[in-house]
């Protein structure tokens, strides 16, 4: 409202000014424009900006066969791949690939515990190219092969 009053005052001054005072009015107008710009910057800063890394983290949590490749996720959130990788690791403590793999292993644990899906089907569902690769990743994650993990759950029940 203050800015509108300033502009209205300048407009009135222009209507009733002589040629010699127009330079002073132009300076007033310049100061008002700067004040308006600063005000709009403050307002813009108070608007929450989309968090690109959080959006990427959500996309990386997709463990389905249709999950976007990591370079495409970086592109989708408008960050160069290397910058994306470094910023993601700095914020979340894991590289994007390690984060995605952790989500895949958590999903694998859930599927092994709560479904009757066979192990190779679980591996395919989680985008592993073969059973050996899935088993190796799972063993690194849990300390057990997928079949040992499932057997152990059944024995504990």
């Amino acid at each position: 409202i203050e800015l509108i009053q300033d502009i209205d005052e300048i407009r009135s001054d222009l209507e009733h000014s002589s040629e010699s005072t127009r330079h002073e009015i132009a300076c007033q107008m310049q100061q008002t424009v700067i004040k308006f710009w600063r005000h709009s910057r403050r307002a813009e800063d108070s608007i929450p900006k989309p968090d690109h890394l959080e959006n990427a983290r959500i996309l990386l949590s997709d463990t389905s066969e249709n999950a976007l490749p990591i370079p495409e996720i970086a592109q989708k959130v408008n960050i160069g791949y290397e910058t994306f990788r470094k910023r993601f690791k700095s914020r979340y403590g894991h590289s994007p690939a390690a984060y995605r793999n952790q989500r895949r292993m958590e999903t694998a644990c859930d599927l092994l515990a709560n479904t009757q899906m066979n192990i190779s089907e679980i591996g395919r569902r989680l985008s592993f190219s073969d059973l050996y690769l899935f088993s190796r990743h799972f063993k690194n994650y849990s300390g057990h092969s997928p079949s040992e993990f499932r057997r152990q759950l059944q024995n504990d029940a």
Side-chain angles (χ1 to χ4, degrees):
I1 294 178
E2 181 183 332
L3 293 170
I4 293 170
Q5 290 171 341
D6 288 350
I7 291 170
D8 202 33
E9 186 179 311
I10 291 169
R11 185 187 52 77
S12 177
D13 288 348
L14 273 173
E15 288 175 358
H16 302 97
S17 69
S18 65
E19 198 62 37
S20 61
T21 59
R22 290 198 177 168
H23 176 70
E24 291 174 30
I25 294 170
C27 289
Q28 279 182 313
M29 181 63 94
Q30 184 179 24
Q31 290 172 348
T32 301
V33 168
I34 290 169
K35 190 190 297 184
F36 175 76
W37 180 79
R38 286 182 180 147
H39 176 77
S40 67
R41 293 289 295 163
R42 279 193 304 274
E44 186 180 294
D45 289 345
S46 69
I47 298 169
K49 292 180 176 45
D51 185 339
H52 298 303
L53 289 178
E54 183 60 21
N55 292 340
R57 190 187 66 77
I58 291 166
L59 291 170
L60 284 165
S61 295
D62 180 3
T63 59
S64 73
E65 297 171 64
N66 301 324
L68 289 174
I70 295 170
E72 283 185 39
I73 291 173
Q75 186 177 29
K76 193 169 185 82
V77 297
N78 297 317
I79 303 175
Y81 177 74
E82 281 303 313
T83 302
F84 167 65
R85 195 182 59 71
K86 288 174 187 172
R87 287 183 186 171
F88 191 92
K89 186 170 185 171
S90 175
R91 180 180 293 178
Y92 297 109
H94 303 288
S95 69
Y99 181 83
R100 173 171 274 168
N101 195 55
Q102 183 177 343
R103 296 284 86 74
R104 289 161 81 190
M105 294 302 100
E106 290 169 356
T107 302
C109 288
D110 182 57
L111 292 171
L112 287 165
N114 298 308
T115 71
Q116 295 302 313
M117 290 172 66
N118 69 44
I119 294 167
S120 58
E121 188 179 347
I122 292 171
R124 275 193 307 277
R125 184 170 180 181
L126 297 174
S127 303
F128 285 96
S129 56
D130 62 46
L131 179 59
Y132 172 76
L133 185 62
F134 168 59
S135 294
R136 192 177 80 204
H137 277 269
F138 191 85
K139 187 164 188 162
N140 287 339
Y141 174 78
S142 72
H144 302 285
S145 70
S147 55
E148 290 170 342
F149 181 84
R150 182 174 265 170
R151 231 183 341 267
Q152 190 173 27
L153 285 173
Q154 291 169 347
N155 291 339
D156 291 345

